[in-house]
Amino acid sequence: MAATHDAEGHRTSGLIHYANGKSLEEINGTVKVPKGKGFWRTLLAYSGPGALVAVGYMDPGNWSTSITGGQNFGYLLMSVILLSSLIAMLLQYMAAKLGIVSQMDLAQAIRARTSKTLGIILWIMTELAIMATDIAEVIGAAISLYLLFGIPLMISVLITVLDVLVLLLLTKIGFRKIEALVVSLILVILFVFAYQVALSHPNWAAVFAGYLPTGETFATHPSVAGMTPLSGALGIIGATVMPHNLYLHSAISQTRKINHKDEDSIAQSVRFTTWDSNIQLSAAFVVNSLLLIMGVAVFKSGAVKDPSFFGLYDALQNGSMLSNPLLIKVAKTGILSTLFAVALLASGQNSTITGTLTGQVIMEGFIHMKMPLWMRRLVTRVISVIPVLFCVATTAGESDINQHIALNNLMNNSQVFLAFALPFSMLPLLMMTDSKVEMGNRFKNTFWVKLCGWASVIGLTFLNMISLPDAIAGFYGDHITAAQTQTAHMIAYTAIVVVLILLAWTTIELYNSNKRLAAQQNGEAE
């Protein structure tokens, strides 16, 4: 393909070219919002971006951790879901505010304040996190196609590549309609789990009591089926707080058309975008709560031996594994298991849309390279499909249960990359929204937001790091030797040192950049 050059002299091709303009330029500032109208009408105009963010908090990676946590420890870990959701609301508020006030998404802001070398390193780490999330989506979508239509797993995995055609169609209908579609799919997921939980008649007093954390919530004992309350809590936190969603929200919060020369207009945008985000994340909180309640109330205690999607699907049509006569009666019709598979497919498709947009945001922001969304999706999905195909192929001759466990382990192990990437999105986000230089006096974080933000960043980074040795050990399978455990721990501790060095590097560059900007502003003021 013949190369061309843009107006600034950057080398481009027909599909891939240099980009250093507005975040997601095709949709930036394209949605009009009313002026001087009532609260509800204005909120409706701002509603939508929060839904695209919220789907990342209820993707297939969340399902088995929440249900298994409920099976093993009852309602003990409900408080972890609540805590994770509150932290998500705080971080997403800061991400949206950064985008609206600075008119840069998080990737652009980091790249503008750090060196090219560090920007490339952070881009690679974030890409790995997106691909890790994509693996969970491939597995969820492939399994749902197998369960609903009987399509062999290998073919189902290949079919997931074709979701690029869905994306091509969506790019033609407009961003507002994409938002409406995502909200519709969220409602499908919410309905499915609410229906199944309603049939199970859970102990609501125990449910609400579970939202209060106790000393047992993060305990290292007892161990049930290889899971402790601490490891269960870390699994829920790791599956809930997604780094790429911070990049996404800082970009799509800019889709509303506002007057950036008017502080009141900016303040209104921040306010209503926060309302939208919190409402949608509350829906995600309800879904994740319902998943854990399912583990306790829908299934008999300890009944689910196979926590994979296959095992959960089978359990929902097996009366001997369900907890009350009404559930057993409905399960015989097959509706419970079918609805579960439909929700799984809806979840995977939702995450496909948001994952592609996020990939474009970080590619443009960190390395100033742009390609069509369909091409971006195709490249990422093909890379993510390879380990899933390998897993299916290598376990094809084994028993069904072994194949199911292998796929479930691949999905869980892929999430280890999120532990690496999360601090590198949270720390810059907090530092920049704390800064008067970046945000101005009116929009910089208040004392309480700053306090809660630093507690969340330090706490989540610490929890991610202490869970890393066990996460790395998980790559060796269920029957790990002492030598393999030692090797896994050495790899984990080395990785932790590397992460801490990179965090220090990032912090220093951001701090120095902030000082330079402050000096420039003071010089201009004088």
Side-chain angles (χ1 to χ4, degrees):
M1 183 178 294
T4 60
H5 293 77
D6 64 15
E8 298 179 19
H10 297 282
R11 186 178 175 84
T12 66
S13 70
L15 291 175
I16 301 174
H17 56 90
Y18 179 82
N20 193 19
K22 293 181 178 180
S23 181
L24 294 177
E25 197 163 9
E26 298 87 350
I27 57 176
N28 192 294
T30 58
V31 180
K32 294 182 179 180
V33 291
K35 294 180 180 179
K37 302 298 180 182
F39 175 85
W40 295 108
R41 184 172 174 184
T42 307
L43 178 60
L44 182 63
Y46 277 95
S47 296
L52 272 71
V53 171
V55 296
Y57 296 90
M58 57 179 99
D59 74 342
N62 293 49
W63 293 26
S64 64
T65 54
S66 294
I67 292 176
T68 306
Q71 273 277 288
N72 293 342
F73 304 111
Y75 299 113
L76 179 65
L77 301 182
M78 293 294 290
S79 59
V80 178
I81 292 176
L82 176 60
L83 181 64
S84 298
S85 298
L86 292 174
I87 292 173
M89 290 179 184
L90 177 66
L91 293 173
Q92 292 299 342
Y93 156 71
M94 289 190 285
K97 183 172 67 171
L98 175 70
I100 294 167
V101 176
S102 72
Q103 300 183 67
M104 291 189 293
D105 60 55
L106 181 58
Q108 290 174 327
I110 294 173
R111 179 66 186 87
R113 304 290 179 255
T114 57
S115 63
K116 182 177 180 181
T117 302
L118 181 58
I120 291 174
I121 292 172
L122 296 181
W123 170 66
I124 292 171
M125 293 181 67
T126 311
E127 286 283 9
L128 288 174
I130 291 176
M131 289 176 189
T133 306
D134 210 29
I135 286 174
E137 293 159 15
V138 168
I139 292 173
I143 291 175
S144 63
L145 291 172
Y146 169 79
L147 296 175
L148 287 170
F149 308 110
I151 301 172
L153 270 178
M154 186 71 79
I155 297 174
S156 293
V157 172
L158 293 172
I159 288 175
T160 64
V161 177
L162 299 180
D163 70 8
V164 68
L165 300 177
V166 177
L167 194 69
L168 267 175
L169 175 64
L170 290 176
T171 56
K172 303 297 182 185
I173 66 174
F175 189 69
R176 200 75 173 123
K177 293 185 177 66
I178 292 176
E179 293 174 342
L181 175 62
V182 170
V183 170
S184 300
L185 291 174
I186 288 175
L187 291 175
V188 168
I189 299 167
L190 186 60
F191 165 77
V192 168
F193 294 131
Y195 173 69
Q196 297 190 355
V197 167
L199 291 179
S200 69
H201 300 298
N203 182 344
W204 290 110
V207 170
F208 288 110
Y211 285 125
L212 297 175
T214 66
E216 298 175 0
T217 305
F218 293 97
T220 55
H221 60 81
S223 178
V224 181
M227 176 187 283
T228 65
L230 175 61
S231 62
L234 292 174
I236 290 172
I237 291 170
T240 302
V241 184
M242 297 287 189
H244 60 277
N245 275 345
L246 300 176
Y247 294 97
L248 177 64
H249 204 188
S250 63
I252 59 177
S253 64
Q254 300 177 56
T255 54
R256 271 50 186 175
K257 188 175 182 179
I258 65 172
N259 180 9
H260 284 280
K261 295 180 180 179
D262 178 15
E263 278 199 357
D264 289 337
S265 180
I266 296 172
Q268 175 182 280
S269 185
V270 171
R271 178 189 173 208
F272 281 99
T273 300
T274 303
W275 268 103
D276 170 48
S277 174
N278 288 346
I279 290 170
Q280 304 292 354
L281 287 172
S282 295
F285 161 70
V286 171
V287 168
N288 286 321
S289 294
L290 291 172
L291 285 165
L292 192 141
I293 295 169
M294 276 183 66
V296 183
V298 172
F299 306 108
K300 289 180 180 177
S301 179
V304 180
K305 304 299 181 186
D306 179 2
S308 71
F309 296 136
F310 298 98
L312 295 172
Y313 178 86
D314 290 339
L316 286 169
Q317 55 187 352
N318 185 343
S320 65
M321 301 178 75
L322 301 178
S323 62
N324 67 41
L326 180 58
L327 275 172
I328 294 170
K329 183 177 180 180
V330 176
K332 289 179 181 178
T333 67
I335 191 170
L336 294 182
S337 55
T338 300
L339 285 174
F340 177 84
V342 168
L344 183 59
L345 186 60
S347 177
Q349 290 311 300
N350 255 345
S351 299
T352 286
I353 297 168
T354 58
T356 305
L357 289 172
T358 308
Q360 192 66 48
V361 168
I362 67 162
M363 181 178 285
E364 290 182 27
F366 279 125
I367 61 173
H368 303 320
M369 187 171 78
K370 185 174 183 177
M371 61 175 65
L373 283 179
W374 65 265
M375 184 178 180
R376 161 79 207 189
R377 186 60 191 168
L378 193 60
V379 171
T380 307
R381 180 49 62 96
V382 168
I383 294 172
S384 301
V385 155
I386 291 171
V388 183
L389 285 174
F390 180 78
C391 182
V392 172
T394 54
T395 57
E398 300 183 20
S399 64
D400 288 344
I401 186 68
N402 284 344
Q403 189 174 60
H404 299 170
I405 291 172
L407 278 171
N408 204 52
N409 287 342
L410 173 61
M411 183 176 67
N412 292 334
N413 291 339
S414 68
Q415 305 302 296
V416 72
F417 292 106
L418 301 179
F420 290 109
L422 187 57
F424 295 97
S425 55
M426 294 191 302
L427 180 67
L429 175 64
L430 186 55
M431 289 184 69
M432 283 187 278
T433 52
D434 278 349
S435 171
K436 174 186 171 183
V437 177
E438 300 284 358
M439 307 298 291
N441 274 323
R442 184 169 180 177
F443 298 108
K444 70 176 184 178
N445 292 334
T446 63
F447 171 78
W448 288 109
V449 169
K450 185 184 297 188
L451 180 66
C452 294
W454 279 107
S456 300
V457 168
I458 293 170
L460 286 175
T461 302
F462 175 74
L463 290 173
N464 271 296
M465 293 303 101
I466 65 170
S467 66
L468 204 53
D470 289 338
I472 298 293
F475 282 88
Y476 287 98
D478 296 328
H479 306 291
I480 186 171
T481 65
Q484 288 173 331
T485 300
Q486 186 177 12
T487 301
H489 285 189
M490 286 180 62
I491 293 171
Y493 295 136
T494 302
I496 289 171
V497 171
V498 172
V499 166
L500 292 176
I501 291 172
L502 283 174
L503 277 175
W505 183 6
T506 304
T507 303
I508 292 168
E509 289 207 4
L510 289 172
Y511 176 76
N512 289 336
S513 174
N514 193 67
K515 284 184 66 177
R516 285 194 300 270
L517 284 171
Q520 288 175 11
Q521 287 186 5
N522 290 334
E524 290 171 1
E526 293 172 2

